[in-house]
Amino acid sequence: MRTTPPHRIAIIGATGSGKSTLAGYLATTLGQSHVELDALFWGRNWTKVDPEVFLAETKAALQPDRWVVDGNYTAVREFVWAEADTLVWMNYPLWIVLKQLFARTIRRTIRKEVLWNGNVEDWREHFLSKESFFFYAIRHTYRFRRTYRAVFQDPRYAHIRRIELRSPAETRSWLAGLK
């Protein structure tokens, strides 16, 4: 079944769920700009930017009429969601998230992929640190689920079409309906 493509899409989900990958694909396919909130949040050497700068840069990045934004930042949620017409929640089981996160981390560290603002992931940070994305995903996945379900009830976001994707197969099916 074909659906009308959304114009302002916010993609949320656990670390490693595939938010940036999906956002990049959608932006390219739909001819929309891609805003990766991580790129606005993280400065050089993994330093966090000032919260006011983060909000200002987010607002500036969402000026075009058509965009796809990915990220879970509470600091800009109210603004992003107020502007979005569609919210895609990648609510995958934790085992899928961890599997994807493992593959991504291995790929990025072996290739020394340069991310935002010159930052490169370090395998020690992910496998031997309390700041590990794996620990973060385990600690926060269930909390995000509770939080999102509560926030979805907020009348300020009643205008948003919400799409919950529970598996990569559901994601592929939804994407097929956009073509």
Side-chain angles (χ1 to χ4, degrees):
M1 174 167 98
R2 286 194 96 182
T3 60
T4 304
H7 298 299
R8 294 177 311 282
I9 307 165
I11 300 177
I12 60 173
T15 299
S17 61
K19 297 180 300 292
S20 297
T21 301
L22 179 60
Y25 176 81
L26 281 172
T28 300
T29 301
L30 300 174
Q32 299 176 187
S33 64
H34 176 200
V35 179
E36 198 168 357
L37 292 178
D38 281 336
L40 303 177
F41 183 81
W42 293 107
R44 293 192 71 68
N45 300 315
W46 296 105
T47 57
K48 297 175 184 176
V49 300
D50 179 87
E52 291 178 16
V53 171
F54 180 45
L55 179 58
E57 289 187 4
T58 300
K59 286 181 177 181
L62 300 184
Q63 286 305 306
D65 272 350
R66 297 170 179 262
W67 42 258
V68 182
V69 62
D70 67 84
N72 295 310
Y73 292 94
T74 305
V76 296
R77 177 191 302 151
E78 187 173 324
F79 174 75
V80 172
W81 288 22
E83 297 295 317
D85 60 37
T86 303
L87 178 75
V88 177
W89 181 17
M90 300 183 78
N91 188 18
Y92 291 3
L94 182 59
W95 72 270
I96 291 176
V97 169
L98 292 174
K99 182 177 102 171
Q100 291 180 169
L101 185 58
F102 181 80
R104 179 187 86 180
T105 301
I106 295 298
R107 184 192 77 239
R108 285 181 175 176
T109 54
I110 288 174
R111 294 181 183 170
K112 297 184 183 345
E113 289 182 25
V114 178
L115 302 171
W116 331 276
N117 306 310
N119 294 317
V120 177
E121 291 182 358
D122 177 6
W123 71 270
R124 283 180 222 82
E125 288 287 320
H126 295 301
F127 293 105
L128 303 175
S129 163
K130 287 190 280 186
E131 302 301 317
S132 163
F133 283 147
F134 297 99
F135 292 136
Y136 184 86
I138 292 166
R139 282 192 314 261
H140 290 88
T141 296
Y142 298 108
R143 189 177 85 191
F144 279 148
R145 286 182 182 151
R146 284 190 309 272
T147 300
Y148 289 144
R149 292 199 194 286
V151 173
F152 292 160
Q153 303 309 311
D154 189 322
R156 292 177 296 171
Y157 310 123
H159 69 282
I160 301 175
R161 177 178 167 222
R162 288 186 288 271
I163 299 162
E164 182 177 353
L165 302 171
R166 294 185 179 106
S167 70
E170 278 189 19
T171 301
R172 286 189 298 275
S173 177
W174 178 69
L175 288 172
L178 290 177
K179 294 179 180 178

